[in-house]
Amino acid sequence: MHPAYSVILFTTASGAGYGLLFWMALAETFGVLPGGRALSLAALTFSLALITLGLLASTLHLGRPERAIGALSQWRTSWLSREGVAAVATYVPAGLLGLSWLIYLHNDLFHLVAALAAAGAAITVYCTGMIYGSLRTIRQWNTPLVPLFYLAAAASTGALLFGLIYSLFGYSTPLLEFLLLCLVAVSGAVKLTYWRQCDADKGQYTAEMATGLGAWGKVRPLDPPHTMPNFVMREMGYQVGRKHAQKLRRLVVLFLFAGPMLALALSALTGAGVFFWYLLAFLMTVVGIVTERWLFFAEAEHVSMLYYGAERA
Amino acid sequence: MTTLPQTTEKKLGLVIDLDICVGCQACATSCKEWNTGGYSAPLSDHDPYGGDPSGAWLNRIHSYELGEGAAGRTVHFPRSCLHCEEPACVTVCPTGASYKREEDGIVLVNPDTCIGCKLCSWACPYGAREYDYDDGVMKKCTLCVDRIYNETLEEEDRVPACVRACPTGARAFGDLGDPDSEVSKNVAAREGFNLLEEFGYKPTNKYLPPRMKTSAHVSPEPARKSAPVSAGNGSMVEKLFAWADQKLSR
Ligand code: SF4
Ligand code: SF4
């Protein structure tokens, strides 16, 4: 599948934003969010900015962005529509949470609001994962591991951002770093399992099934229907990245998982320069997550390519 | 609405005879010609006469080779939207622009509400939807919804443009939900089949298989004669030898 840069930016930026929102709101729900109101407000604004940036980027790949509001209507069947509804709805408790910090309005009700914001963030990311996970036409996507990894990636990139911001203001404990390390390890384990599953599945559909002509023997393309690639081939038959896939996967393992884990471990163990360890971990994560998302698209194979010479899909 | 209808009154669709199709592309060009001015107009092209032409077409004709050696054959294979009964190209659409009509089962895109997110094209296993980069919306076969009910056209023209254009009669149009229709009877008689049946979208369009080669006895080729010696450099002596060779080989 063709990796659209706007979609990569959207899923990674808003994923991290929702992750940050989730951890802050969760901490607030249990009344353990460190720092003062100003810091909370600043961090929340940052998370909403990331989310909004991502959502705006996602409208860039639409042919008719001015009609985007219509995408909120079909939540009964469409995961894309559900994602839109969840994203818009999450602004409400997130905004109220900000308001409560701004005007120092605080009572038990706001624990509930915080819980709603955390739930909204998680649901939105799950919907994003399901847009891909529900497509049976792409076997690399049609697995529960896809929404699971979207959740794990948002949780770990958001948590790193949380650690980075709060460590800048001196709030950090080795315990948090250790928990974060575990979170990154979990998302790494999900991704490795996912790759193993993808590599084992060579595809259950064949060119013979696609054409219904298996009784005559092997089906081979003779003349293409058009002299140059059409939309279907460009969008569904993207192959540029496949030959570098192994190299890029190693880069993801290094930058998204191993590197940040090492930085977090060193931070927890030495207890010195915590912010810089976080910054290092975060910068590596940015490179890692963008590469991971690019690969997620580039490695995905679409069933329609059976008509264009693919033997299995 | 992207919720699929439980049933449709009719199941209008095409039946394509792979035994007859000669791959002439008449249906594809006729489709383009009608539809670039019809329901989903325009069907934009980019660089149509240059080195890298591309554009939105609703019908594509592949040619495949099947089998090996004497048993092998060439099949021309038109591919367009199959107006499936349970297609996710409809249910994934966030706007409701992609829908299946309750009255006749035609799957359409509403060009006024489509946002061009392309998700429906990802959900189609048949590669039947093509995005129009200029118009910013998705394009697909409409089963010529603007011809088949069009009373300003002659009766004989109220069929999809591809069916009307096919010079060999490889394409037929009708109600595949009615077991007594011409198309249904032909599908039953010829053992028509679904493309990628295993995927489960239940296509309405059917394909008729190429006929198996007959096993009738074919008379053996006459014994081969060795090629006559050429007349060499053209001298009298060479011509004499060539003549003698010919006579002796009889
Ligand atoms: S062929 Fe593709 S576009 Fe047409 S109805 Fe079936 S899934 Fe949808
Ligand atoms: S491209 Fe248009 S028709 Fe297709 S899913 Fe998106 S909004 Fe619906």
Side-chain angles (χ1 to χ4, degrees), chain A residues 61 63-64 67 71 74 77-78 136-137 209 211 216 218 220 222-223 225-226 228 230-231 235 302 304 307-308, chain B residues 2 61-65 67 79 91-92 94 96 111-112 114-116 118 122 124-125 130-131 135 196 199 210:
Chain A
H61 91 287
R64 298 288 190 127
R67 299 174 179 171
Q74 302 301 313
T77 63
S78 164
R136 289 203 291 118
T137 41
M209 292 177 184
T211 54
W216 283 261
K218 191 128 194 59
R220 305 174 301 274
L222 181 64
D223 281 327
H226 31 84
M228 293 312 248
N230 67 342
F231 163 74
E235 183 82 357
H302 195 276
S304 64
Y307 294 100
Y308 285 98
Chain B
T2 52
I61 323 301
H62 299 254
S63 295
Y64 296 110
E65 242 174 0
R79 178 179 58 85
T91 52
V92 298
D112 297 326
C114 172
I115 57 172
K118 311 181 191 83
W122 294 5
C124 171
E130 299 202 7
Y131 179 68
D135 209 14
L196 208 64
F199 202 80

Side-chain angles (χ1 to χ4, degrees), chain B residues 203-217:
Chain B
T204 300
N205 286 11
K206 300 285 180 279
Y207 284 72
L208 304 181
R211 289 183 171 87
M212 287 287 182
K213 279 191 179 156
T214 56
S215 53
H217 185 71

Side-chain angles (χ1 to χ4, degrees), chain B residues 93-95 97-98 109 114-118 120 138:
Chain B
C93 175
T95 60
S98 181
V109 173
C114 172
I115 57 172
C117 70
K118 311 181 191 83
C120 53
M138 195 54 73

Side-chain angles (χ1 to χ4, degrees), chain A residues 8-9 12-13 16 50 157 160-161 164 251-252 255-257 260 278-294:
Chain A
I8 293 177
L9 181 64
T12 54
L50 269 180
T157 54
L160 260 180
L161 212 49
L164 178 71
L251 192 127
V252 171
F255 280 82
L256 191 54
F257 308 124
Y278 268 118
L279 190 63
L280 184 65
F282 182 72
L283 292 177
M284 286 192 282
T285 300
V286 171
V287 177
I289 192 78
V290 170
T291 314
E292 181 278 326
R293 218 37 62 89
W294 189 87

Side-chain angles (χ1 to χ4, degrees), chain A residues 162-195:
Chain A
F162 181 91
L164 178 71
I165 293 170
Y166 279 81
S167 67
L168 181 61
F169 294 94
Y171 300 98
S172 69
T173 79
L175 178 67
L176 181 69
E177 281 131 51
F178 177 71
L179 289 176
L180 245 167
L181 194 151
C182 293
L183 201 57
V184 177
V186 167
S187 72
V190 174
K191 195 78 218 189
L192 290 178
T193 314
Y194 168 79
W195 280 333

